[in-house]
Amino acid sequence: MNRLGTCTYRNALRAVSAARRSARGIATRTAQPFGHAPALALALSLSLGAAYALTPRVHLDEALADPAPAPEQAVGRALIPFAEVQKHSSPDDLWVVIAGKVYDLTEFASAHPGGAAPIHRAAGKDATAIFTPIHPPGTLEDGLDPSTCVGLVDPATLPDVAAVNTTERAREREIELGEIIGLPDLDEAARRSLTPKAWAYMSSGATDQYTLDLNRKSFNHILFRPRILVDVGTVDTSTQMLGHDTSLPIFICPAGMAKLAHPEGEALLAKGAGQCNIIQMISTNASAPLTTILGSATSSTQPFFMQLYVDRNRAKSEALLDRINSLGLKAVFVTVDAAAPGKREADERSRAEVEVASGISGGKIASDAKGGGIGRSVGGFIDPALSWDDVAWLRKHTALPIGLKGVQSVEDAVRAAEMGVDAVYLSNHGGRALDTAPPALYTLLELRKTHPEVFDKVEVYLDGGVRRGTDVVKALCLGAKGVGMGRPFMYALTYGEQGVVHAIEIMRDEIETTMRLLGVTKLSQLGPHLLNTKALDSLI
């Protein structure tokens, strides 16, 4: 309220008070059988008339401050009791509370990218705690019509969030960052630090997890053939990926939902990558906005690659490609191994824990027969109709280098190279898609033995099970240009930016040590002659 309005308001109050005093006086002096109402009316009229005469005029076209409180302020007026929200708990009448606001998602549920089931499970509940970690800021504003916001929930009526039983976990001491000597140490550290649901999402593989286990074991089936008496006083681990400099032949894989590990999510991965001069590949399912991640770069020249899930609604992917082009990312890697979400049973089984942690009562809520996996929920938008013909569609919408991520056979690698893509990314989705698919290292070895010409046409990348510097060097010996690491950096993120940098520097030390003990000083000196692959030859 401006000064004029304040003075007007105060003058009116003074006038009313004076009227009341005058009325009492008149009523006392002129008491009548019918009471003092006429005297009071007379006094009020005189006083209000005086107040009006003394009050400055306010023109209708003057912009006065709105006296109403801000919508975000809980002032006890026009708030929706949580009991009212609970009444709207059916698929035909569905309200949900998110971040203090009440949304009517009855119509939206069927259009939800992750399917209607997650929305139905949250009907009539406060879903804030499960929504926030797996959706980037702006999701509600960008994805919902403003009319779906019914109003604000009365915070005084919200139930206390039920605590997950953490008795056993509480007895486990958190592992200090200084105790992390190798990246395998991060697995246990993350298990103790993450919520059970987050750990299940990040660590799980598909069905029996055979491919997940084999990814790791495959590297140990290849042996080195070291050279001796070589001057290795100085070693150089730098290289280029699609023409962009990097200090190490590793990159951060496009693992989504990083905010499950740290509130700043992928933005801290960007900061750590920039500090150590390596490349981060950003996921379409990143939990932080793309501009925030890019804005976390430590220099204007820090390169980023983008991973793309092609949306069933191609217009959305085309719009994302336009943003990628305009924001200065350096390459697009299209995921081609996710026509359907893998069955990650640990992720599915932990549904109840998420619902309890988010104030949703486990065991009382209907769910679909598959469970409640985050991976399945966030991947429902991916287009299963993606085909080889879409390589031309991609070329139409970007001039950036294009890579195919998720190649799992030599035949597809050869075809990709013949179609003119810039990179072939060998991957089985970290063992999270098709169980018993081959480790990427198997495919890399077979490609090297049967079609070595492919390495002259495209750059070849690989991920899956990489935990040691020796793993990286073995992949480079077989022709890989770069090696991706996903889970280790997600686990390191539980320590913040410092953890990410610590993990990168562990890999730098191990790669340098491996090169020295192998008898090489530059990555260009690596090759198949330094490996004994006989243990795997019969498997490819």
Side-chain angles (χ1 to χ4, degrees):
M1 187 178 294
N2 58 21
R3 291 175 62 94
L4 176 60
T6 302
C7 293
T8 301
Y9 181 65
R10 289 174 177 171
N11 288 338
L13 288 179
R14 293 190 184 105
V16 170
S17 297
R20 288 173 176 166
R21 290 193 299 271
S22 176
R24 285 194 295 268
I26 294 175
T28 301
R29 293 191 300 272
T30 61
Q32 300 294 329
F34 299 102
H36 55 265
L40 175 61
L42 175 63
L44 282 173
S45 299
L46 293 172
S47 299
L48 289 174
Y52 178 80
L54 295 173
T55 300
R57 299 294 175 265
V58 178
H59 298 288
L60 293 178
D61 57 354
E62 286 185 359
L64 297 179
D66 185 356
E72 293 79 9
Q73 288 181 329
V75 295
R77 182 174 64 85
L79 297 179
I80 301 171
F82 186 65
E84 179 63 26
V85 176
Q86 292 177 301
K87 297 176 183 178
H88 303 267
S89 58
S90 69
D92 297 329
D93 181 17
L94 197 162
W95 288 10
V96 174
V97 176
I98 300 175
K101 295 182 179 180
V102 181
Y103 294 90
D104 184 345
L105 301 184
T106 308
E107 300 297 329
F108 173 76
S110 61
H112 180 235
I119 305 295
H120 291 166
R121 288 199 297 270
K125 313 293 179 182
D126 183 353
T128 304
I130 183 55
F131 175 88
T132 303
I134 63 176
H135 294 84
T139 298
L140 294 174
E141 292 78 2
D142 296 339
L144 293 178
D145 188 279
S147 64
T148 61
C149 184
V150 180
L152 300 177
V153 69
D154 186 345
T157 65
L158 286 173
D160 293 333
V161 176
V164 178
N165 185 356
T166 56
T167 303
E168 292 298 323
R169 291 167 58 84
R171 285 200 286 261
E172 295 182 312
R173 179 184 61 85
E174 287 194 6
I175 298 174
E176 299 294 333
L177 182 59
E179 299 177 73
I180 304 298
I181 307 302
L183 296 198
D185 297 338
L186 287 169
D187 290 49
E188 177 61 17
R191 187 192 68 78
R192 298 186 187 186
S193 175
L194 295 169
T195 66
K197 180 60 179 178
W199 171 250
Y201 169 70
M202 292 183 191
S203 65
S204 62
T207 53
D208 295 320
Q209 302 192 137
Y210 181 79
T211 293
L212 176 65
D213 294 338
L214 200 55
N215 279 348
R216 178 73 207 104
K217 294 176 181 177
S218 63
F219 286 96
N220 292 333
H221 292 153
I222 292 179
L223 304 179
F224 283 121
R225 301 179 67 244
R227 299 297 189 268
I228 61 171
L229 295 177
V230 177
D231 182 358
V232 290
T234 301
V235 296
D236 182 6
T237 62
S238 65
T239 186
Q240 286 193 333
M241 297 182 188
L242 293 174
H244 299 281
D245 293 334
T246 175
S247 69
L248 288 169
I250 63 172
F251 60 92
I252 298 177
C253 283
M257 302 298 110
K259 285 192 176 183
L260 290 172
H262 191 282
E264 295 186 50
E266 291 82 1
L268 286 192
L269 293 176
K271 292 179 180 180
Q275 279 195 48
C276 301
N277 189 22
I278 70 169
I279 293 173
Q280 176 187 5
M281 191 178 295
I282 302 171
S283 171
T284 299
N285 282 337
S287 54
L290 184 55
T291 51
T292 299
I293 299 170
L294 298 177
S296 300
T298 59
S299 73
S300 59
T301 58
Q302 182 177 336
F304 292 89
F305 296 164
M306 185 73 195
Q307 174 268 338
L308 176 69
Y309 283 120
V310 176
D311 199 299
R312 294 171 186 263
N313 183 344
R314 290 298 177 89
K316 290 185 177 181
S317 287
E318 290 169 3
L320 177 55
L321 284 167
D322 288 342
R323 292 188 69 206
I324 292 168
N325 295 332
S326 65
L327 290 173
L329 287 98
K330 304 304 181 184
V332 177
F333 282 77
V334 183
T335 294
V336 295
D337 63 352
K343 184 185 180 186
R344 306 166 196 170
E345 295 183 354
D347 187 20
E348 299 288 355
R349 288 191 186 102
S350 60
R351 174 184 61 81
E353 290 175 351
V354 176
E355 292 170 348
V356 171
S358 62
I360 302 174
S361 177
K364 297 183 180 179
I365 304 165
S367 64
D368 62 31
K370 293 183 179 181
I374 293 176
R376 182 162 53 86
S377 296
V378 300
F381 69 93
I382 300 172
D383 190 357
L386 188 68
S387 71
W388 286 103
D389 294 337
D390 289 311
V391 173
W393 168 78
L394 287 165
R395 284 293 186 200
K396 179 181 177 181
H397 290 282
T398 185
L400 294 172
I402 292 175
L404 300 187
K405 179 183 181 294
V407 176
Q408 299 167 84
S409 70
V410 167
E411 294 82 358
D412 283 346
V414 171
R415 184 172 183 179
E418 290 174 347
M419 293 190 71
V421 302
D422 301 283
V424 168
Y425 189 152
L426 306 178
S427 174
N428 54 42
H429 219 92
R432 295 161 71 81
L434 177 62
D435 201 18
T436 71
L441 188 67
Y442 283 20
T443 310
L444 179 65
L445 175 59
E446 184 180 356
L447 188 62
R448 167 56 66 186
K449 286 183 175 293
T450 61
H451 291 278
E453 73 280 1
V454 168
F455 296 89
D456 297 324
K457 297 178 181 179
V458 298
E459 292 188 3
V460 177
Y461 296 87
L462 159 149
D463 70 17
V466 178
R467 294 294 185 275
R468 294 291 188 183
T470 52
D471 302 337
V472 174
V473 173
K474 288 174 183 178
L476 298 181
C477 285
L478 291 175
K481 186 68 173 178
V483 177
M485 303 175 68
R487 288 183 180 93
F489 287 122
M490 293 287 277
Y491 298 162
L493 192 56
T494 60
Y495 293 100
E497 181 181 350
Q498 187 179 9
V500 177
V501 172
H502 186 63
I504 296 171
E505 293 307 319
I506 285 175
M507 290 303 297
R508 187 189 308 279
D509 177 69
E510 290 190 6
I511 292 171
E512 290 179 351
T513 299
T514 301
M515 291 173 66
R516 285 190 168 96
L517 294 176
L518 198 54
V520 299
T521 59
K522 296 180 180 179
L523 299 182
S524 59
Q525 297 169 356
L526 298 173
H529 62 286
L530 295 172
L531 299 180
N532 178 343
T533 62
K534 290 183 179 180
L536 294 183
D537 288 345
S538 62
L539 300 177
I540 61 174

